Amino acid sequence: MMNKNSLITETIIHASPIELWKLITDRDAMKTWYFDIPDFSLVEGANFTFKGKGEGEKYIHKGVILDIVPLYRLTYSWAYKEYPGESEVTFQLNSVGKNKTRVTIIHSGIESFPKDDPNFARESFTAGWHSILNESLKPYAEGA
């Protein structure tokens, strides 16, 4: 669902695609650097829900696994229980050298969320994905 409005965040991480695939698909690993998603299952069509960190019950996220290409791409829907709109999040892994991987997060459809809530603003998603990728996943994967 990538389009001209898609938000793209990427970085190079000193880890192999195999190591990073485990981090983005294993719910125990995800709990450490991403979100606690107890009902996450790496099966196309599987549904999951989770609370955003520090957001209490206000922003209950819900998703469905849409596409799995092992060691390369994971796509799922991204929506909120109490708010209209639906988007897609894709994690893409590309090897760029020995134990170096370009991790790209593509978030498409954010314009479908309410315009009157600053938490749904493009700037908010940009800051959130930058933090998740560069301040959570990267240091965790690199053992910092």
Side-chain angles (χ1 to χ4, degrees), residues 18-136:
I18 293 170
E19 294 166 313
L20 288 164
W21 183 255
K22 179 173 174 36
L23 296 182
I24 68 170
T25 61
D26 179 87
R27 70 176 155 244
D28 290 329
M30 292 164 59
K31 190 184 325 183
T32 304
W33 69 269
Y34 192 44
F35 294 101
D36 183 7
I37 311 175
D39 57 348
F40 183 87
S41 179
L42 191 61
V43 176
E44 282 188 34
N47 293 286
F48 60 89
T49 59
F50 64 96
K51 297 176 190 172
K53 292 181 181 176
E55 298 169 345
E57 298 291 326
K58 187 170 182 184
Y59 297 101
I60 303 293
H61 300 68
K62 58 183 186 171
V64 177
I65 305 291
L66 301 173
D67 183 48
I68 302 166
V69 180
L71 306 178
Y72 176 67
R73 183 179 60 239
L74 172 64
T75 301
Y76 46 82
S77 63
W78 179 281
Y80 299 89
K81 184 177 178 184
E82 301 294 329
Y83 297 91
E86 185 169 308
S87 60
E88 285 185 6
V89 171
T90 298
F91 281 81
Q92 191 166 295
L93 308 175
N94 294 88
S95 179
V96 292
K98 185 174 172 131
N99 286 328
K100 283 172 70 174
T101 305
R102 175 179 290 111
V103 180
T104 305
I105 299 173
I106 303 163
H107 194 167
S108 302
I110 60 175
E111 64 277 0
S112 71
F113 296 123
K115 310 282 185 267
D116 60 345
D117 186 330
N119 289 300
F120 297 127
R122 184 176 185 86
E123 298 76 26
S124 179
F125 283 112
T126 299
W129 289 120
H130 175 81
S131 175
I132 286 168
L133 192 56
N134 293 291
E135 298 168 21
S136 294

